[in-house]
Amino acid sequence: MQKRDFLVVRDFTAKEIRAVLDLAKDIKRDQARHSRALEGKELAMLFQKTSTRTRVSFEVAMHQLGGQAIFLDWRSTNFTLGGIEDEIRSLDRYVSAIMARVFKHADVEAMARAARVPVINGLSDAAHPCQALADLLTIEEKFPDTRKIKLVFTGDGTDNVCVSLIEACALLGVQLTVVAPKEFIPPSSVMEWLAKNNLGRKISVTQDIAAGVKDADVIYTDTFVSMGQESEGERRIKIMHPYQLNSEVVKRTGKSPFIMHCLPAHRDIEITSDVLDSDKSIIFDQAENRLHAQKALLLFLLRPGFGS
Ligand code: CP
């Protein structure tokens, strides 16, 4: 059987995403049930960048499924001496799968081409597909039919989290409005993919925050300055400030929307503390759901046909 990778959400079909989310729900309900499912399997976790949630949730996921995770800080490996291809071709002789957090998406693509085992994108400049799985799982816990809700992402439309959310919502039929300044609208590549696959019907992009957030059931934001963008931080924050997730924006929905953020948050930059800490915040459910969604993803990739 051909190995599968998960570099972007659209590597999976809508049916496959649905299967992973349904399995994640089963796993969350009965966390002890699959405790030996990945016995004898190992996951190498390569990090070019820092992480709290991705690293710990993948490591705990492997442990709780009976497998093992190996953390590799990029700078302490020989990836900086040898090329990606040779290092990956060595690594895949030891492990069953590789998860990598990289600066450039091209690096994780090169890893997937070289590896004989599944490669998972644990965040790149272009995509954060594992986050999108946890996000959809979190939203589905609040709404029995997510095809009837309006989700809004406000802030940086070029953001990897936003791009993966667009792909996941398009595949699952969730209405998503991206509210972003003209300088930071979603990349043409994802908009072209929507158009080409006739998936753009429920995805819209606007610069008008008042109109964009109206009737939102859920509002999501992410950092205005991602890792590696620090040198242009001041400019980005200034342009995106009108798109901050604050109590005024929440009021403009005319509803009482759930609040999402993938973390880490920069309080009072992209989201105000009162909103982040409000009783409508499901931010820490999102963080928890990284664990359950990734367990399902690991089973899907390492035990094809699992549960079917
Ligand atoms: N949301 C997320 O990916 O968190 P970390 O950067 O801490 O892994």
Side-chain angles (χ1 to χ4, degrees):
M1 190 181 287
Q2 203 186 343
K3 66 117 178 177
R4 298 287 301 276
D5 302 305
F6 191 57
L7 306 189
V8 291
V9 171
R10 61 192 199 238
D11 281 340
F12 283 14
T13 63
K15 202 171 157 200
E16 289 170 337
I17 298 286
R18 179 75 272 138
V20 170
L21 291 179
D22 288 346
L23 181 55
K25 286 176 195 169
D26 281 350
I27 288 169
K28 188 169 180 176
R29 267 193 297 271
D30 182 1
Q31 296 184 35
R33 194 161 139 221
H34 304 302
S35 61
R36 299 180 71 174
L38 293 187
E39 215 166 50
K41 305 280 187 189
E42 301 81 20
L43 175 73
M45 308 192 301
L46 263 170
F47 283 88
Q48 291 179 352
K49 300 181 179 189
T50 56
S51 167
T52 303
R53 281 147 290 273
T54 304
R55 182 205 165 155
V56 177
S57 56
F58 266 108
E59 188 159 341
V60 171
M62 284 303 289
H63 178 72
Q64 291 185 349
L65 292 171
Q68 190 186 348
I70 301 158
F71 171 74
L72 294 164
D73 181 336
W74 188 260
R75 289 158 301 183
S76 68
T77 66
N78 280 338
F79 275 88
T80 52
L81 301 179
I84 281 181
E85 187 172 300
D86 288 347
E87 296 305 294
I88 289 289
R89 287 174 68 194
S90 305
L91 205 52
D92 80 1
R93 299 290 174 115
Y94 313 129
V95 301
S96 323
I98 296 166
M99 186 275 289
R101 168 166 286 195
V102 298
F103 283 96
K104 293 191 305 238
H105 191 72
D107 280 359
V108 78
E109 287 178 327
M111 290 177 194
R113 279 194 302 273
R116 295 180 307 178
V117 299
V119 173
I120 300 168
N121 180 4
L123 181 147
S124 67
D125 56 356
H128 199 357
C130 298
Q131 182 67 52
L133 292 179
D135 295 342
L136 266 295
L137 179 59
T138 307
I139 295 168
E140 288 186 2
E141 287 176 340
K142 297 296 175 194
F143 298 95
D145 188 353
T146 55
R147 287 166 305 180
K148 292 186 178 151
I149 67 156
K150 177 178 176 181
L151 167 63
V152 170
F153 183 96
T154 181
D156 182 5
T158 68
D159 181 55
N160 45 17
V161 168
C162 179
V163 170
S164 292
L165 195 64
I166 290 173
E167 293 179 12
C169 287
L171 287 169
L172 295 179
V174 181
Q175 183 187 345
L176 170 64
T177 300
V178 177
V179 185
K182 65 179 187 313
E183 294 87 345
F184 296 103
I185 57 172
S188 55
S189 54
V190 71
M191 302 314 283
E192 283 161 16
W193 171 76
L194 291 174
K196 195 172 157 207
N197 293 281
N198 205 17
L199 286 169
R201 196 172 54 84
K202 296 181 87 174
I203 311 294
S204 58
V205 180
T206 179
Q207 290 165 43
D208 182 343
I209 186 144
V213 301
K214 193 167 181 310
D215 296 326
D217 298 292
V218 184
I219 312 190
Y220 193 149
T221 194
D222 186 15
T223 180
F224 292 166
V225 187
S226 294
M227 283 178 265
Q229 297 172 336
E230 291 79 4
S231 63
E232 44 169 328
E234 213 171 306
R235 174 182 161 266
R236 295 176 66 90
I237 290 169
K238 196 166 164 210
I239 294 172
M240 285 187 256
H241 180 67
Y243 298 85
Q244 182 190 63
L245 180 42
N246 54 39
S247 56
E248 189 56 36
V249 167
V250 171
K251 214 180 294 169
R252 282 183 164 174
T253 64
K255 288 191 165 181
S256 178
F258 288 106
I259 304 299
M260 296 182 73
H261 191 303
C262 59
L263 299 172
H266 304 79
R267 286 173 179 259
D268 304 315
I269 304 285
E270 73 272 8
I271 185 168
T272 53
S273 282
D274 57 337
V275 173
L276 194 156
D277 295 323
S278 73
D279 57 6
K280 294 299 288 194
S281 170
I282 48 173
I283 289 171
F284 295 98
D285 294 340
Q286 270 179 276
E288 178 187 336
N289 282 336
R290 292 291 304 275
L291 173 65
H292 309 299
Q294 287 158 198
K295 279 183 176 175
L297 175 67
L298 288 162
L299 289 169
F300 182 88
L301 292 171
L302 293 174
R303 294 276 312 271
F306 183 85
S308 61

